[in-house]
């Protein structure tokens, strides 16, 4: 059973400057909901009751987002739909916060949650990776590794074009089932041309608590940072690590164009916005075809 999830959200969000001067990247919206809310919802769907968000100084807006809003709720008391939307931010799970004092890497960020997680298996979700699908990726991973032992760890992976895999963690793995692989090795941001496969790690992890001991022992790696991927290489030494391919489209919310694409495709999929979004896309496409769009 998975009760806790850690969401690292301590980064500076440089690719979204200047907006990230005051708005944490994780609160930027896909259409009208913060990216962070999508991943909290995915965790809740997988049974998670407690979410631990790793933040840094200057990102107090994230904690503020999860505060109750009694005055606002009172003013919207007659509008059930708006009231539901206000509450949707806070009702999914219990959310707590841990501050990462220094930007020493993803592995280090996860390690700061050690006390809050305690001695149980937990999930890590990177909020930049938004995956549209029901059931969510975490649920799919839990189903994929069910019956493979309480100690099993898992990462989500996606086959990506070979020319982009150097931006990711990459696994060397042996296929053991449909979309399920047993990891034999993994490397963070391999130099171009050296990746062991194109199975690239996407930001979803299921980890037993002994990963914290591994992260304690993990030396700085790619970019001089303590990498979660390197911690998992140590974890693998005394327990199975699985790589799960998943159903659903992944959006890279870590850069402005990825977020724009996510917003547009969500607008096209959502009933209340579908017609207007489709009209917009058709008009823009027609303008581009006619040569008016540059
Ligand atoms: C992080 C992880 C990497 C993973 C990626 C997925 O990298 O270190 O292993 O493939 O997330 O989004 P980052 O995107 O923070 O550079």
């Amino acid at each position: 059973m998975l009760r806790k999830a850690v969401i690292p959200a301590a980064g500076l969000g440089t690719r979204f400057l200047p907006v990230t001067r005051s708005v944490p990247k994780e609160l930027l919206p896909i259409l009208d909901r913060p990216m962070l809310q999508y991943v909290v919802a995915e965790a809740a769907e997988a049974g998670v009751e407690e979410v631990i968000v790793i933040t840094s100084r200057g990102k107090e807006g994230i904690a503020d987002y999860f505060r109750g809003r009694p005055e606002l709720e009172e003013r919207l008391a007659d509008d059930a739909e708006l009231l539901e939307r206000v509450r949707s931010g806070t009702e999914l799970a219990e959310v707590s916060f841990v501050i990462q004092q220094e930007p020493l890497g993803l592995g280090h960020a996860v390690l700061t949650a050690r006390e809050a997680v305690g001695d149980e298996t937990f999930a890590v979700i990177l909020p930049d990776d938004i995956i549209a699908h029901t059931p969510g990726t975490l649920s799919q991973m839990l189903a994929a590794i069910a019956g493979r032992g309480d100690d099993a760890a898992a990462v989500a992976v996606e086959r990506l074009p070979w020319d982009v895999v150097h931006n990711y963690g990459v696994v060397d793995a042996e296929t053991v089932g449909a979309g399920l692989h047993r990891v034999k090795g993994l490397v963070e941001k391999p130099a171009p041309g050296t990746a062991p496969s194109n199975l690239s790690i996407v930001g979803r992890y299921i980890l037993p608590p002994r990963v914290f001991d591994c992260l304690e022992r993990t030396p700085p790696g790619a970019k001089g940072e303590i990498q979660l991927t390197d911690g998992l290489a140590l974890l693998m030494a005394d327990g199975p690590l699985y790589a799960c391919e998943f159903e659903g489209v992944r959006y890279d919310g870590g850069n402005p164009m990825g977020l724009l694409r996510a917003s547009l495709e969500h607008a096209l999929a959502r009933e209340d916005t579908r017609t207007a979004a489709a009209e917009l896309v058709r008009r823009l496409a027609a303008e581009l075809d006619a040569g008016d769009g540059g």
Side-chain angles (χ1 to χ4, degrees), residues 33 36-37 40-45 47-51 64-70 73 80-95:
R33 255 169 253 194
L36 189 54
Q37 191 161 326
V40 172
E42 183 186 322
E45 186 227 32
V48 167
E49 294 161 1
E50 231 188 292
V51 168
D64 197 42
Y65 180 79
F66 288 99
R67 251 191 333 111
R69 284 284 185 278
E73 287 191 20
E81 199 210 315
L82 279 183
L83 207 53
E84 199 278 318
R85 282 214 242 163
V86 172
R87 289 181 180 155
S88 68
T90 47
E91 282 184 338
L92 294 164
E94 199 180 300
V95 184

Side-chain angles (χ1 to χ4, degrees), residues 15 106 126 128-129 167-170 188-189 200-203 205 223 227-229 250:
R15 276 181 287 183
L106 179 60
L126 307 188
D128 277 3
D129 285 329
N167 296 314
Y168 294 82
V170 180
E188 179 67 16
K189 301 195 172 50
S200 311
I201 300 177
V202 168
Y205 308 77
K223 296 200 284 183
Q227 297 291 349
L228 182 56
T229 303
R250 177 179 66 101

Side-chain angles (χ1 to χ4, degrees), residues 13-219:
T14 49
R15 276 181 287 183
F16 281 102
L17 279 169
V19 66
T20 43
R21 281 165 55 103
S22 68
V23 181
K25 174 182 69 175
E26 296 76 11
L27 294 184
L28 295 177
I30 292 175
L31 211 52
D32 51 8
R33 255 169 253 194
M35 275 196 270
L36 189 54
Q37 191 161 326
Y38 288 87
V39 291
V40 172
E42 183 186 322
E45 186 227 32
V48 167
E49 294 161 1
E50 231 188 292
V51 168
I52 301 142
V53 181
I54 315 292
T55 61
S56 52
R57 271 166 299 184
K59 298 187 83 171
E60 291 74 20
I62 296 183
D64 197 42
Y65 180 79
F66 288 99
R67 251 191 333 111
R69 284 284 185 278
E71 313 83 32
L72 186 56
E73 287 191 20
E74 210 167 288
R75 285 176 57 184
L76 300 176
D78 297 336
D79 189 327
E81 199 210 315
L82 279 183
L83 207 53
E84 199 278 318
R85 282 214 242 163
V86 172
R87 289 181 180 155
S88 68
T90 47
E91 282 184 338
L92 294 164
E94 199 180 300
V95 184
S96 63
F97 300 88
V98 176
I99 303 274
Q100 185 189 18
Q101 300 290 354
E102 285 176 281
L104 298 180
L106 179 60
H108 177 263
V110 172
L111 188 53
T112 62
R114 180 172 203 158
E115 210 173 302
V117 169
D119 193 25
E120 57 186 285
T121 292
F122 65 104
V124 173
I125 309 185
L126 307 188
D128 277 3
D129 285 329
I130 303 291
I131 307 166
H133 196 269
T134 307
T137 307
L138 264 191
S139 295
Q140 294 178 42
M141 291 167 74
L142 284 173
I145 63 167
R148 294 196 179 251
D150 289 347
D151 200 33
V155 294
V157 290
E158 185 178 18
R159 285 201 188 276
L160 290 181
W162 284 90
D163 61 342
V164 301
V165 298
H166 62 274
N167 296 314
Y168 294 82
V170 180
V171 304
D172 181 14
E174 177 191 352
T175 302
V176 292
L180 187 68
H181 314 267
R182 171 103 187 232
V183 179
K184 296 187 291 184
L186 61 180
V187 52
E188 179 67 16
K189 301 195 172 50
T194 67
S197 79
N198 65 342
L199 281 174
S200 311
I201 300 177
V202 168
R204 303 289 183 278
Y205 308 77
I206 294 171
L207 303 173
R210 64 192 167 79
V211 74
F212 292 120
D213 286 336
C214 300
L215 289 170
E216 294 272 11
R217 291 189 278 126
T218 303

